[in-house]
Amino acid sequence: MLTTTFTRTLLLGAAALCTMAGSAVAAESLNIYTTREPGLIKPVLDEFTKETGIKVNTIFISNGLEERIRTEGENSPADLILTVDIGRLQAAKDYGVTQPVKSEALENVIPAAYRDPEGHWFGMALRARVVYASKDRVKQDKFTYEELADPKWKGKICSRSGQALYNISLFAAAIAHMGEDKAEQWLKGVKANLARKPSGGDREQAKDILAGVCDIGIGNTYYVSLMRNGSDAEQKKWGEAINVILPTFEGGGTHVNVSGLALAKYAPHKANAVKFMEYMVSDESQRIHAEANSEYPIKAGIAIHPTIASFGELKADNVPIAEIAKLRKKASEMVDTVGFDQ
């Protein structure tokens, strides 16, 4: 009987140790749900794992990320949400699938204009919505967003859908600057200047400029770097055919958007998730991210990708991203009201 009891005790102890060891291993991991192609963030993830020993698992979800996490509920393995555009970050908060983070490391680096006032999301990098201009046919090197509605550009502007996330944020910024009525008149003017029905992505706007379909387009900065520095010979031609002009709002600056992070509501590895968020604003991470993704670092003093830097000094607009998020619904309705995509 004594031998049997002793054996059972040993077995129970071994089982407990195995359970604890398994828990420790599980704790050294991190699950990121992302709308970004994992390859774009792999350099940062690899460096984080190298520094911390925490294994990062990425789950790529192009659409419906918020719905999936909400459906998974308390059983969701998601620790972090990594996505682009304030619309997606705010949607995650509105869906109730995030939780606030209080971190001096984040708040000391990220300007208040680029994070949620309640701590539900944080911008990690910036991208500007700018003018692509034909090198051959457009001689001016300065623009205001208001000028896009000037009749002198009638039949000369290309754009992707007005309902595209990046355009909705730009139009929301226009509402913030002009007021709803003037912004609607402005958007009607931009529509009147379109050379064709809105279509394609930002790269296609550069393609059509090269083809002579239009003289100017609306697009994000990083696409130009990806075209010029990528391996696709055709896209390289598109990127080289345009100048990038950083427009400003009258009385404001260049519209910027963010790529950012939010802590999932039921994050099973919360400590690791916060550690990753704080790592993302370190000098090394900001440098790697800026180089790999051709985005503006959120942290001051970090070198900008050479192609992006060649566009000139970015004077970012002063409207907080959270305020733009509140106006996105009105902007979307306005796109339909003026028939922008028709």
mmCIF file of all heavy atoms in Angstrom, residues 201-252:
data_model
loop_
_atom_site.group_PDB
_atom_site.id
_atom_site.type_symbol
_atom_site.label_atom_id
_atom_site.label_comp_id
_atom_site.label_asym_id
_atom_site.label_seq_id
_atom_site.Cartn_x
_atom_site.Cartn_y
_atom_site.Cartn_z
ATOM 1 N N GLY A 201 -7.030 50.114 -57.647
ATOM 2 C CA GLY A 201 -6.405 50.536 -56.404
ATOM 3 C C GLY A 201 -5.529 51.743 -56.658
ATOM 4 O O GLY A 201 -5.557 52.326 -57.748
ATOM 5 N N ASP A 202 -4.728 52.116 -55.700
ATOM 6 C CA ASP A 202 -3.876 53.298 -55.868
ATOM 7 C C ASP A 202 -2.848 53.110 -56.976
ATOM 8 O O ASP A 202 -2.530 54.047 -57.713
ATOM 9 C CB ASP A 202 -3.163 53.617 -54.553
ATOM 10 C CG ASP A 202 -4.099 54.239 -53.519
ATOM 11 O OD1 ASP A 202 -5.296 54.391 -53.824
ATOM 12 O OD2 ASP A 202 -3.631 54.564 -52.421
ATOM 13 N N ARG A 203 -2.322 51.912 -57.134
ATOM 14 C CA ARG A 203 -1.324 51.677 -58.182
ATOM 15 C C ARG A 203 -1.916 51.908 -59.569
ATOM 16 O O ARG A 203 -1.239 52.415 -60.474
ATOM 17 C CB ARG A 203 -0.765 50.256 -58.083
ATOM 18 C CG ARG A 203 -0.092 49.948 -56.758
ATOM 19 C CD ARG A 203 0.469 48.534 -56.777
ATOM 20 N NE ARG A 203 0.581 48.000 -55.422
ATOM 21 C CZ ARG A 203 1.616 47.308 -54.968
ATOM 22 N NH1 ARG A 203 2.638 47.082 -55.766
ATOM 23 N NH2 ARG A 203 1.639 46.839 -53.749
ATOM 24 N N GLU A 204 -3.185 51.534 -59.718
ATOM 25 C CA GLU A 204 -3.826 51.697 -61.022
ATOM 26 C C GLU A 204 -3.999 53.164 -61.409
ATOM 27 O O GLU A 204 -4.100 53.492 -62.594
ATOM 28 C CB GLU A 204 -5.182 50.975 -61.045
ATOM 29 C CG GLU A 204 -5.103 49.471 -61.225
ATOM 30 C CD GLU A 204 -4.509 48.759 -60.028
ATOM 31 O OE1 GLU A 204 -4.712 49.245 -58.885
ATOM 32 O OE2 GLU A 204 -3.852 47.717 -60.220
ATOM 33 N N GLN A 205 -4.035 54.039 -60.416
ATOM 34 C CA GLN A 205 -4.126 55.468 -60.730
ATOM 35 C C GLN A 205 -2.831 55.921 -61.409
ATOM 36 O O GLN A 205 -2.843 56.684 -62.374
ATOM 37 C CB GLN A 205 -4.393 56.284 -59.466
ATOM 38 C CG GLN A 205 -5.497 55.740 -58.556
ATOM 39 C CD GLN A 205 -6.751 55.275 -59.290
ATOM 40 O OE1 GLN A 205 -7.287 55.963 -60.160
ATOM 41 N NE2 GLN A 205 -7.230 54.077 -58.950
ATOM 42 N N ALA A 206 -1.694 55.425 -60.903
ATOM 43 C CA ALA A 206 -0.407 55.734 -61.527
ATOM 44 C C ALA A 206 -0.319 55.114 -62.916
ATOM 45 O O ALA A 206 0.203 55.728 -63.864
ATOM 46 C CB ALA A 206 0.730 55.219 -60.638
ATOM 47 N N LYS A 207 -0.843 53.916 -63.057
ATOM 48 C CA LYS A 207 -0.852 53.243 -64.363
ATOM 49 C C LYS A 207 -1.611 54.067 -65.391
ATOM 50 O O LYS A 207 -1.163 54.250 -66.540
ATOM 51 C CB LYS A 207 -1.500 51.863 -64.221
ATOM 52 C CG LYS A 207 -1.643 51.096 -65.530
ATOM 53 C CD LYS A 207 -2.380 49.782 -65.306
ATOM 54 C CE LYS A 207 -2.565 49.025 -66.620
ATOM 55 N NZ LYS A 207 -3.311 47.750 -66.401
ATOM 56 N N ASP A 208 -2.773 54.597 -64.989
ATOM 57 C CA ASP A 208 -3.590 55.379 -65.926
ATOM 58 C C ASP A 208 -2.973 56.738 -66.218
ATOM 59 O O ASP A 208 -3.187 57.299 -67.299
ATOM 60 C CB ASP A 208 -5.007 55.541 -65.369
ATOM 61 C CG ASP A 208 -5.845 54.280 -65.581
ATOM 62 O OD1 ASP A 208 -5.364 53.358 -66.265
ATOM 63 O OD2 ASP A 208 -6.983 54.226 -65.071
ATOM 64 N N ILE A 209 -2.216 57.277 -65.291
ATOM 65 C CA ILE A 209 -1.503 58.529 -65.566
ATOM 66 C C ILE A 209 -0.451 58.286 -66.646
ATOM 67 O O ILE A 209 -0.316 59.062 -67.598
ATOM 68 C CB ILE A 209 -0.864 59.093 -64.280
ATOM 69 C CG1 ILE A 209 -1.960 59.606 -63.334
ATOM 70 C CG2 ILE A 209 0.119 60.219 -64.609
ATOM 71 C CD1 ILE A 209 -1.457 60.009 -61.962
ATOM 72 N N LEU A 210 0.285 57.187 -66.517
ATOM 73 C CA LEU A 210 1.277 56.841 -67.537
ATOM 74 C C LEU A 210 0.620 56.644 -68.898
ATOM 75 O O LEU A 210 1.161 57.066 -69.931
ATOM 76 C CB LEU A 210 2.025 55.567 -67.132
ATOM 77 C CG LEU A 210 3.004 54.995 -68.165
ATOM 78 C CD1 LEU A 210 4.122 56.000 -68.460
ATOM 79 C CD2 LEU A 210 3.586 53.670 -67.674
ATOM 80 N N ALA A 211 -0.573 56.056 -68.900
ATOM 81 C CA ALA A 211 -1.280 55.778 -70.155
ATOM 82 C C ALA A 211 -1.957 57.006 -70.744
ATOM 83 O O ALA A 211 -2.498 56.947 -71.845
ATOM 84 C CB ALA A 211 -2.317 54.681 -69.924
ATOM 85 N N GLY A 212 -1.963 58.129 -70.011
ATOM 86 C CA GLY A 212 -2.573 59.352 -70.516
ATOM 87 C C GLY A 212 -4.058 59.461 -70.268
ATOM 88 O O GLY A 212 -4.713 60.368 -70.782
ATOM 89 N N VAL A 213 -4.609 58.545 -69.470
ATOM 90 C CA VAL A 213 -6.039 58.590 -69.162
ATOM 91 C C VAL A 213 -6.352 59.813 -68.305
ATOM 92 O O VAL A 213 -7.409 60.429 -68.425
ATOM 93 C CB VAL A 213 -6.473 57.301 -68.428
ATOM 94 C CG1 VAL A 213 -7.942 57.386 -67.988
ATOM 95 C CG2 VAL A 213 -6.256 56.084 -69.321
ATOM 96 N N CYS A 214 -5.434 60.190 -67.429
ATOM 97 C CA CYS A 214 -5.602 61.341 -66.539
ATOM 98 C C CYS A 214 -4.235 61.943 -66.262
ATOM 99 O O CYS A 214 -3.200 61.360 -66.596
ATOM 100 C CB CYS A 214 -6.290 60.920 -65.234
ATOM 101 S SG CYS A 214 -5.575 59.437 -64.487
ATOM 102 N N ASP A 215 -4.245 63.117 -65.663
ATOM 103 C CA ASP A 215 -2.999 63.809 -65.356
ATOM 104 C C ASP A 215 -2.612 63.698 -63.884
ATOM 105 O O ASP A 215 -1.429 63.738 -63.542
ATOM 106 C CB ASP A 215 -3.108 65.296 -65.723
ATOM 107 C CG ASP A 215 -3.134 65.515 -67.224
ATOM 108 O OD1 ASP A 215 -2.888 64.544 -67.976
ATOM 109 O OD2 ASP A 215 -3.412 66.653 -67.643
ATOM 110 N N ILE A 216 -3.608 63.600 -63.007
ATOM 111 C CA ILE A 216 -3.328 63.471 -61.582
ATOM 112 C C ILE A 216 -4.214 62.386 -60.971
ATOM 113 O O ILE A 216 -5.291 62.068 -61.493
ATOM 114 C CB ILE A 216 -3.513 64.801 -60.801
ATOM 115 C CG1 ILE A 216 -4.962 65.300 -60.915
ATOM 116 C CG2 ILE A 216 -2.545 65.848 -61.287
ATOM 117 C CD1 ILE A 216 -5.201 66.564 -60.076
ATOM 118 N N GLY A 217 -3.743 61.811 -59.884
ATOM 119 C CA GLY A 217 -4.493 60.788 -59.172
ATOM 120 C C GLY A 217 -4.371 60.995 -57.676
ATOM 121 O O GLY A 217 -3.579 61.821 -57.201
ATOM 122 N N ILE A 218 -5.155 60.247 -56.928
ATOM 123 C CA ILE A 218 -5.135 60.306 -55.471
ATOM 124 C C ILE A 218 -4.638 58.955 -54.974
ATOM 125 O O ILE A 218 -5.181 57.915 -55.342
ATOM 126 C CB ILE A 218 -6.530 60.598 -54.899
ATOM 127 C CG1 ILE A 218 -7.092 61.902 -55.472
ATOM 128 C CG2 ILE A 218 -6.491 60.667 -53.373
ATOM 129 C CD1 ILE A 218 -8.567 62.136 -55.145
ATOM 130 N N GLY A 219 -3.605 58.965 -54.146
ATOM 131 C CA GLY A 219 -3.061 57.693 -53.674
ATOM 132 C C GLY A 219 -2.235 57.851 -52.419
ATOM 133 O O GLY A 219 -1.936 58.960 -51.982
ATOM 134 N N ASN A 220 -1.845 56.722 -51.833
ATOM 135 C CA ASN A 220 -1.014 56.717 -50.636
ATOM 136 C C ASN A 220 0.466 56.733 -51.005
ATOM 137 O O ASN A 220 0.863 56.191 -52.040
ATOM 138 C CB ASN A 220 -1.310 55.490 -49.773
ATOM 139 C CG ASN A 220 -2.571 55.642 -48.947
ATOM 140 O OD1 ASN A 220 -3.139 56.728 -48.844
ATOM 141 N ND2 ASN A 220 -3.034 54.545 -48.363
ATOM 142 N N THR A 221 1.258 57.302 -50.135
ATOM 143 C CA THR A 221 2.692 57.446 -50.397
ATOM 144 C C THR A 221 3.393 56.109 -50.590
ATOM 145 O O THR A 221 4.203 55.953 -51.501
ATOM 146 C CB THR A 221 3.361 58.198 -49.234
ATOM 147 O OG1 THR A 221 2.819 57.738 -47.982
ATOM 148 C CG2 THR A 221 3.139 59.691 -49.341
ATOM 149 N N TYR A 222 3.104 55.133 -49.718
ATOM 150 C CA TYR A 222 3.917 53.916 -49.725
ATOM 151 C C TYR A 222 3.773 53.107 -51.004
ATOM 152 O O TYR A 222 4.693 52.371 -51.393
ATOM 153 C CB TYR A 222 3.613 53.046 -48.503
ATOM 154 C CG TYR A 222 2.205 52.503 -48.442
ATOM 155 C CD1 TYR A 222 1.871 51.300 -49.032
ATOM 156 C CD2 TYR A 222 1.218 53.201 -47.768
ATOM 157 C CE1 TYR A 222 0.581 50.806 -48.966
ATOM 158 C CE2 TYR A 222 -0.069 52.725 -47.691
ATOM 159 C CZ TYR A 222 -0.388 51.520 -48.292
ATOM 160 O OH TYR A 222 -1.677 51.047 -48.218
ATOM 161 N N TYR A 223 2.630 53.244 -51.705
ATOM 162 C CA TYR A 223 2.463 52.506 -52.962
ATOM 163 C C TYR A 223 3.510 52.922 -53.988
ATOM 164 O O TYR A 223 3.977 52.101 -54.782
ATOM 165 C CB TYR A 223 1.067 52.728 -53.542
ATOM 166 C CG TYR A 223 -0.012 51.925 -52.874
ATOM 167 C CD1 TYR A 223 -1.036 52.545 -52.164
ATOM 168 C CD2 TYR A 223 -0.034 50.538 -52.956
ATOM 169 C CE1 TYR A 223 -2.037 51.813 -51.550
ATOM 170 C CE2 TYR A 223 -1.040 49.795 -52.344
ATOM 171 C CZ TYR A 223 -2.029 50.432 -51.648
ATOM 172 O OH TYR A 223 -3.021 49.699 -51.029
ATOM 173 N N VAL A 224 3.887 54.192 -53.982
ATOM 174 C CA VAL A 224 4.868 54.677 -54.950
ATOM 175 C C VAL A 224 6.220 54.026 -54.685
ATOM 176 O O VAL A 224 6.920 53.590 -55.607
ATOM 177 C CB VAL A 224 4.984 56.215 -54.900
ATOM 178 C CG1 VAL A 224 5.977 56.702 -55.960
ATOM 179 C CG2 VAL A 224 3.617 56.858 -55.126
ATOM 180 N N SER A 225 6.573 53.920 -53.414
ATOM 181 C CA SER A 225 7.833 53.262 -53.060
ATOM 182 C C SER A 225 7.804 51.793 -53.457
ATOM 183 O O SER A 225 8.788 51.260 -53.996
ATOM 184 C CB SER A 225 8.090 53.392 -51.559
ATOM 185 O OG SER A 225 9.281 52.758 -51.192
ATOM 186 N N LEU A 226 6.674 51.127 -53.218
ATOM 187 C CA LEU A 226 6.565 49.713 -53.583
ATOM 188 C C LEU A 226 6.664 49.517 -55.088
ATOM 189 O O LEU A 226 7.266 48.539 -55.558
ATOM 190 C CB LEU A 226 5.240 49.147 -53.061
ATOM 191 C CG LEU A 226 5.072 49.121 -51.535
ATOM 192 C CD1 LEU A 226 3.702 48.601 -51.153
ATOM 193 C CD2 LEU A 226 6.159 48.272 -50.884
ATOM 194 N N MET A 227 6.094 50.444 -55.855
ATOM 195 C CA MET A 227 6.186 50.347 -57.310
ATOM 196 C C MET A 227 7.606 50.591 -57.795
ATOM 197 O O MET A 227 8.150 49.834 -58.605
ATOM 198 C CB MET A 227 5.217 51.343 -57.973
ATOM 199 C CG MET A 227 3.755 50.958 -57.876
ATOM 200 S SD MET A 227 2.646 52.055 -58.815
ATOM 201 C CE MET A 227 2.606 53.511 -57.774
ATOM 202 N N ARG A 228 8.218 51.633 -57.307
ATOM 203 C CA ARG A 228 9.551 52.012 -57.788
ATOM 204 C C ARG A 228 10.633 51.032 -57.353
ATOM 205 O O ARG A 228 11.603 50.817 -58.082
ATOM 206 C CB ARG A 228 9.913 53.415 -57.298
ATOM 207 C CG ARG A 228 9.094 54.517 -57.929
ATOM 208 C CD ARG A 228 9.546 55.890 -57.425
ATOM 209 N NE ARG A 228 8.730 56.960 -57.978
ATOM 210 C CZ ARG A 228 8.861 58.242 -57.642
ATOM 211 N NH1 ARG A 228 9.793 58.599 -56.752
ATOM 212 N NH2 ARG A 228 8.077 59.165 -58.180
ATOM 213 N N ASN A 229 10.466 50.430 -56.213
ATOM 214 C CA ASN A 229 11.511 49.565 -55.665
ATOM 215 C C ASN A 229 11.201 48.076 -55.775
ATOM 216 O O ASN A 229 12.005 47.243 -55.345
ATOM 217 C CB ASN A 229 11.757 49.916 -54.202
ATOM 218 C CG ASN A 229 12.190 51.363 -54.018
ATOM 219 O OD1 ASN A 229 13.094 51.841 -54.690
ATOM 220 N ND2 ASN A 229 11.521 52.086 -53.117
ATOM 221 N N GLY A 230 10.034 47.749 -56.344
ATOM 222 C CA GLY A 230 9.653 46.349 -56.463
ATOM 223 C C GLY A 230 10.285 45.666 -57.663
ATOM 224 O O GLY A 230 11.031 46.269 -58.443
ATOM 225 N N SER A 231 9.962 44.401 -57.833
ATOM 226 C CA SER A 231 10.536 43.598 -58.918
ATOM 227 C C SER A 231 9.685 43.577 -60.179
ATOM 228 O O SER A 231 10.120 43.057 -61.207
ATOM 229 C CB SER A 231 10.745 42.158 -58.429
ATOM 230 O OG SER A 231 9.509 41.591 -57.994
ATOM 231 N N ASP A 232 8.467 44.151 -60.104
ATOM 232 C CA ASP A 232 7.574 44.162 -61.262
ATOM 233 C C ASP A 232 7.970 45.301 -62.204
ATOM 234 O O ASP A 232 7.836 46.480 -61.863
ATOM 235 C CB ASP A 232 6.125 44.347 -60.787
ATOM 236 C CG ASP A 232 5.103 44.155 -61.895
ATOM 237 O OD1 ASP A 232 5.240 44.817 -62.960
ATOM 238 O OD2 ASP A 232 4.168 43.363 -61.707
ATOM 239 N N ALA A 233 8.447 44.945 -63.389
ATOM 240 C CA ALA A 233 8.946 45.945 -64.339
ATOM 241 C C ALA A 233 7.870 46.918 -64.780
ATOM 242 O O ALA A 233 8.138 48.117 -64.956
ATOM 243 C CB ALA A 233 9.556 45.243 -65.561
ATOM 244 N N GLU A 234 6.643 46.429 -64.979
ATOM 245 C CA GLU A 234 5.556 47.299 -65.407
ATOM 246 C C GLU A 234 5.211 48.307 -64.310
ATOM 247 O O GLU A 234 5.040 49.492 -64.575
ATOM 248 C CB GLU A 234 4.319 46.468 -65.768
ATOM 249 C CG GLU A 234 4.383 45.801 -67.121
ATOM 250 C CD GLU A 234 4.574 46.807 -68.253
ATOM 251 O OE1 GLU A 234 3.782 47.767 -68.326
ATOM 252 O OE2 GLU A 234 5.526 46.634 -69.036
ATOM 253 N N GLN A 235 5.088 47.834 -63.087
ATOM 254 C CA GLN A 235 4.754 48.735 -61.990
ATOM 255 C C GLN A 235 5.861 49.752 -61.746
ATOM 256 O O GLN A 235 5.594 50.884 -61.340
ATOM 257 C CB GLN A 235 4.466 47.940 -60.721
ATOM 258 C CG GLN A 235 3.171 47.139 -60.794
ATOM 259 C CD GLN A 235 2.707 46.635 -59.447
ATOM 260 O OE1 GLN A 235 3.176 47.089 -58.405
ATOM 261 N NE2 GLN A 235 1.771 45.707 -59.456
ATOM 262 N N LYS A 236 7.086 49.369 -62.007
ATOM 263 C CA LYS A 236 8.192 50.305 -61.865
ATOM 264 C C LYS A 236 7.998 51.486 -62.827
ATOM 265 O O LYS A 236 8.234 52.647 -62.470
ATOM 266 C CB LYS A 236 9.520 49.609 -62.161
ATOM 267 C CG LYS A 236 10.757 50.424 -61.787
ATOM 268 C CD LYS A 236 12.018 49.645 -62.057
ATOM 269 C CE LYS A 236 12.187 48.481 -61.109
ATOM 270 N NZ LYS A 236 12.581 48.949 -59.750
ATOM 271 N N LYS A 237 7.510 51.203 -64.027
ATOM 272 C CA LYS A 237 7.231 52.260 -65.004
ATOM 273 C C LYS A 237 6.123 53.187 -64.505
ATOM 274 O O LYS A 237 6.197 54.401 -64.683
ATOM 275 C CB LYS A 237 6.826 51.648 -66.340
ATOM 276 C CG LYS A 237 7.928 50.903 -67.068
ATOM 277 C CD LYS A 237 7.396 50.293 -68.360
ATOM 278 C CE LYS A 237 8.458 49.467 -69.070
ATOM 279 N NZ LYS A 237 7.917 48.817 -70.291
ATOM 280 N N TRP A 238 5.100 52.598 -63.881
ATOM 281 C CA TRP A 238 4.007 53.418 -63.349
ATOM 282 C C TRP A 238 4.548 54.367 -62.283
ATOM 283 O O TRP A 238 4.226 55.560 -62.286
ATOM 284 C CB TRP A 238 2.914 52.542 -62.720
ATOM 285 C CG TRP A 238 2.362 51.463 -63.604
ATOM 286 C CD1 TRP A 238 2.531 51.326 -64.963
ATOM 287 C CD2 TRP A 238 1.577 50.350 -63.174
ATOM 288 N NE1 TRP A 238 1.883 50.195 -65.405
ATOM 289 C CE2 TRP A 238 1.285 49.572 -64.335
ATOM 290 C CE3 TRP A 238 1.076 49.921 -61.951
ATOM 291 C CZ2 TRP A 238 0.521 48.408 -64.279
ATOM 292 C CZ3 TRP A 238 0.318 48.759 -61.886
ATOM 293 C CH2 TRP A 238 0.048 48.018 -63.039
ATOM 294 N N GLY A 239 5.339 53.816 -61.376
ATOM 295 C CA GLY A 239 5.868 54.634 -60.293
ATOM 296 C C GLY A 239 6.807 55.724 -60.767
ATOM 297 O O GLY A 239 6.822 56.828 -60.218
ATOM 298 N N GLU A 240 7.576 55.441 -61.813
ATOM 299 C CA GLU A 240 8.533 56.427 -62.321
ATOM 300 C C GLU A 240 7.855 57.502 -63.165
ATOM 301 O O GLU A 240 8.444 58.546 -63.440
ATOM 302 C CB GLU A 240 9.622 55.731 -63.146
ATOM 303 C CG GLU A 240 10.517 54.802 -62.349
ATOM 304 C CD GLU A 240 11.349 55.530 -61.308
ATOM 305 O OE1 GLU A 240 11.460 56.772 -61.380
ATOM 306 O OE2 GLU A 240 11.887 54.850 -60.410
ATOM 307 N N ALA A 241 6.602 57.260 -63.580
ATOM 308 C CA ALA A 241 5.900 58.216 -64.451
ATOM 309 C C ALA A 241 5.287 59.375 -63.684
ATOM 310 O O ALA A 241 4.815 60.343 -64.290
ATOM 311 C CB ALA A 241 4.804 57.492 -65.243
ATOM 312 N N ILE A 242 5.306 59.288 -62.348
ATOM 313 C CA ILE A 242 4.610 60.305 -61.562
ATOM 314 C C ILE A 242 5.538 61.012 -60.576
ATOM 315 O O ILE A 242 6.548 60.469 -60.134
ATOM 316 C CB ILE A 242 3.439 59.685 -60.760
ATOM 317 C CG1 ILE A 242 3.953 58.614 -59.782
ATOM 318 C CG2 ILE A 242 2.393 59.096 -61.711
ATOM 319 C CD1 ILE A 242 2.893 58.055 -58.860
ATOM 320 N N ASN A 243 5.166 62.238 -60.253
ATOM 321 C CA ASN A 243 5.726 62.943 -59.116
ATOM 322 C C ASN A 243 4.742 62.825 -57.961
ATOM 323 O O ASN A 243 3.520 62.793 -58.180
ATOM 324 C CB ASN A 243 5.948 64.424 -59.443
ATOM 325 C CG ASN A 243 7.144 64.645 -60.347
ATOM 326 O OD1 ASN A 243 8.183 64.012 -60.192
ATOM 327 N ND2 ASN A 243 6.995 65.547 -61.321
ATOM 328 N N VAL A 244 5.247 62.769 -56.766
ATOM 329 C CA VAL A 244 4.385 62.745 -55.584
ATOM 330 C C VAL A 244 4.391 64.135 -54.967
ATOM 331 O O VAL A 244 5.440 64.692 -54.663
ATOM 332 C CB VAL A 244 4.874 61.716 -54.556
ATOM 333 C CG1 VAL A 244 4.082 61.832 -53.253
ATOM 334 C CG2 VAL A 244 4.749 60.310 -55.126
ATOM 335 N N ILE A 245 3.195 64.701 -54.832
ATOM 336 C CA ILE A 245 3.048 66.032 -54.239
ATOM 337 C C ILE A 245 2.269 65.885 -52.935
ATOM 338 O O ILE A 245 1.209 65.242 -52.909
ATOM 339 C CB ILE A 245 2.312 66.985 -55.200
ATOM 340 C CG1 ILE A 245 3.079 67.078 -56.525
ATOM 341 C CG2 ILE A 245 2.145 68.358 -54.578
ATOM 342 C CD1 ILE A 245 2.359 67.863 -57.603
ATOM 343 N N LEU A 246 2.803 66.442 -51.866
ATOM 344 C CA LEU A 246 2.147 66.380 -50.568
ATOM 345 C C LEU A 246 1.192 67.565 -50.425
ATOM 346 O O LEU A 246 1.600 68.665 -50.048
ATOM 347 C CB LEU A 246 3.186 66.415 -49.443
ATOM 348 C CG LEU A 246 4.289 65.348 -49.482
ATOM 349 C CD1 LEU A 246 5.251 65.530 -48.308
ATOM 350 C CD2 LEU A 246 3.708 63.944 -49.475
ATOM 351 N N PRO A 247 -0.099 67.364 -50.741
ATOM 352 C CA PRO A 247 -1.049 68.479 -50.657
ATOM 353 C C PRO A 247 -1.387 68.797 -49.208
ATOM 354 O O PRO A 247 -1.116 68.001 -48.304
ATOM 355 C CB PRO A 247 -2.273 67.944 -51.406
ATOM 356 C CG PRO A 247 -2.203 66.465 -51.220
ATOM 357 C CD PRO A 247 -0.743 66.107 -51.131
ATOM 358 N N THR A 248 -1.978 69.940 -49.006
ATOM 359 C CA THR A 248 -2.409 70.331 -47.665
ATOM 360 C C THR A 248 -3.822 70.890 -47.736
ATOM 361 O O THR A 248 -4.280 71.349 -48.789
ATOM 362 C CB THR A 248 -1.490 71.412 -47.071
ATOM 363 O OG1 THR A 248 -1.481 72.553 -47.947
ATOM 364 C CG2 THR A 248 -0.075 70.886 -46.899
ATOM 365 N N PHE A 249 -4.517 70.821 -46.625
ATOM 366 C CA PHE A 249 -5.788 71.530 -46.505
ATOM 367 C C PHE A 249 -5.484 72.991 -46.219
ATOM 368 O O PHE A 249 -4.468 73.314 -45.582
ATOM 369 C CB PHE A 249 -6.627 70.952 -45.359
ATOM 370 C CG PHE A 249 -7.292 69.647 -45.668
ATOM 371 C CD1 PHE A 249 -6.815 68.468 -45.123
ATOM 372 C CD2 PHE A 249 -8.385 69.608 -46.513
ATOM 373 C CE1 PHE A 249 -7.427 67.258 -45.399
ATOM 374 C CE2 PHE A 249 -9.010 68.397 -46.804
ATOM 375 C CZ PHE A 249 -8.531 67.219 -46.251
ATOM 376 N N GLU A 250 -6.334 73.885 -46.694
ATOM 377 C CA GLU A 250 -6.163 75.298 -46.368
ATOM 378 C C GLU A 250 -6.256 75.464 -44.854
ATOM 379 O O GLU A 250 -7.237 75.073 -44.233
ATOM 380 C CB GLU A 250 -7.237 76.124 -47.073
ATOM 381 C CG GLU A 250 -7.083 76.127 -48.595
ATOM 382 C CD GLU A 250 -8.193 76.887 -49.299
ATOM 383 O OE1 GLU A 250 -9.068 77.443 -48.586
ATOM 384 O OE2 GLU A 250 -8.207 76.914 -50.539
ATOM 385 N N GLY A 251 -5.214 76.014 -44.271
ATOM 386 C CA GLY A 251 -5.167 76.166 -42.827
ATOM 387 C C GLY A 251 -4.791 74.890 -42.088
ATOM 388 O O GLY A 251 -4.836 74.850 -40.854
ATOM 389 N N GLY A 252 -4.415 73.858 -42.838
ATOM 390 C CA GLY A 252 -4.049 72.595 -42.207
ATOM 391 C C GLY A 252 -2.836 71.983 -42.872
ATOM 392 O O GLY A 252 -2.017 72.682 -43.460
#
